[in-house]
Amino acid sequence: RFIGLEDVESPSILGHCNGIVCLSPCSDNLVLCNPTIKEIKLLPKSDLPDWWGCAVGFGYDPKSKDYKVSRIATYQAEIDGLIPPPRVEIYSISTDSWREIKNNSLETDTTCFFPDYFQMYFQGICYWVGYEQPKQSVEYEDEEQKPMVIFFDTGDEIFHHILFPDSFYMYEEGSAYAYEMSYIMYTDLRIMLWNGSIALFGFNRFSAFPDSYGVWVLDGFDGAKGSWTKHLTFEPLGGIKRVLE
C-alpha cells in the first residue's frame, strides 16, 4: 500500500504501468504515485554510488506479481583505459528495498550496452532507446556509439537488445561520418505501440521539404529477435516539430 507524503517538489514522469506512475523529484529519491487513490510512496535511497548517469525503468513482473523499478547506473569516465560496464539494481514493492543484480547481457568482452531514456513498459518488458559502445576508447566519440533498442524482461531480470532498422546503419567502409549521418537523420526517436506491436517512431530532419515522420514495426518479435518493416511515412501538421506521447 502506498504511504502518503505531504509534498514532492518538481517531479518529472519516468514511466507508468497499470495506473501507477514512477516520478523523479528534485532529490535523488524516486517516487511511485497512484493517482486513483491519491497516495504516493517515496522509495528508499539507492545502494549504488553516485555515478555519471542512471537510466530508470518501471514495470510489472507477471511471474512474481510484483512491481519493479530497475536502475542502471553508468560511469563514462575511463578507469585504467576502459569504460566500466553499467551496474544494475532492482527495487520491488513487495520487499520495499533495492538489490543489485548482475548486469545480465549489458556487456560483451569488448563493448558495453547503455540504456538511455526509458520509453515504455509492455507485457512484462521495459524498453529504452540506448547504444553500444567499445569499452576501450581513447576519447569519447559519438560515432563509436551504435544506437539500438535495449529492453529488460522483468520476470527473468535479463537485458536484451535489438538493432534499429538497417537504414540507420548505412556505413561506407573507412567513413565514420557516413555512419554518423545515417543515425542523426532521425531525431526524437520513440518506442511505441502500433496496433498491438512494438514500433519505432522518429522525425526525419533531412527528408525533402516538408519534414516527415517514419514508423517501423517490429515483426516476429519473440523476446529477443525480430525484424523491422517500415510501415509508413507521413508529414506532420503545420508547426508540429516534436513527438508527443
Side-chain angles (χ1 to χ4, degrees):
R1 185 177 181 274
F2 292 105
I3 300 174
L5 297 176
E6 293 184 358
D7 186 38
V8 175
E9 295 182 358
S10 303
S12 60
I13 297 177
L14 297 179
H16 58 87
C17 174
N18 298 339
I20 301 175
V21 182
C22 183
L23 302 171
S24 175
C26 297
S27 63
D28 294 334
N29 295 86
L30 298 174
V31 171
L32 295 180
C33 172
N34 189 329
T36 301
I37 58 177
K38 299 180 180 179
E39 289 185 336
I40 60 179
K41 178 177 178 59
L42 182 68
L43 273 58
K45 285 188 175 293
S46 164
D47 292 329
L48 293 182
D50 292 331
W51 279 24
W52 177 80
C54 291
V56 175
F58 173 61
Y60 179 73
D61 174 10
K63 292 185 177 180
S64 63
K65 298 181 179 180
D66 196 6
Y67 289 92
K68 294 179 178 180
V69 178
S70 51
R71 184 173 182 267
I72 305 97
T74 60
Y75 191 64
Q76 282 291 346
E78 296 179 11
I79 299 177
D80 296 329
L82 297 177
I83 296 175
R87 293 174 61 178
V88 183
E89 61 179 353
I90 303 296
Y91 169 86
S92 300
I93 285 184
S94 62
T95 62
D96 191 28
S97 62
W98 294 94
R99 55 185 171 84
E100 186 171 1
I101 65 172
K102 294 181 179 179
N103 63 23
N104 288 331
S105 304
L106 282 180
E107 66 173 318
T108 67
D109 291 339
T110 58
T111 65
C112 293
F113 299 88
F114 296 105
D116 203 341
Y117 294 105
F118 182 60
Q119 297 284 308
M120 71 172 193
Y121 163 86
F122 180 62
Q123 294 185 344
I125 297 178
C126 295
Y127 294 86
W128 293 262
V129 167
Y131 58 92
E132 181 184 21
Q133 182 172 338
K135 290 182 179 178
Q136 189 166 10
S137 178
V138 177
E139 61 182 77
Y140 181 79
E141 297 288 350
D142 286 343
E143 58 264 24
E144 290 185 333
Q145 297 181 348
K146 180 184 292 185
M148 59 185 57
V149 175
I150 296 176
F151 57 99
F152 177 69
D153 187 314
T154 58
D156 296 337
E157 296 187 346
I158 294 177
F159 289 89
H160 303 277
H161 67 274
I162 298 175
L163 293 178
F164 283 171
D166 291 342
S167 59
F168 284 73
Y169 303 101
M170 294 169 56
Y171 179 77
E172 296 176 7
E173 188 173 354
S175 174
Y177 177 76
Y179 161 75
E180 183 181 3
M181 283 298 295
S182 67
Y183 171 49
I184 65 174
M185 281 179 63
Y186 286 89
T187 59
D188 284 335
L189 287 170
R190 303 294 177 91
I191 303 167
M192 55 180 281
L193 287 181
W194 184 273
N195 294 328
S197 297
I198 302 298
L200 186 66
F201 182 70
F203 169 58
N204 188 342
R205 295 190 298 177
F206 295 93
S207 64
F209 183 82
D211 297 319
S212 65
Y213 290 100
V215 177
W216 292 262
V217 175
L218 185 58
D219 300 315
F221 181 62
D222 62 2
K225 296 180 180 179
S227 59
W228 298 98
T229 299
K230 192 165 187 178
H231 190 74
L232 56 83
T233 299
F234 62 94
E235 300 172 3
L237 298 175
I240 304 298
K241 295 291 184 179
R242 184 172 180 82
V243 178
L244 299 178
E245 294 180 309

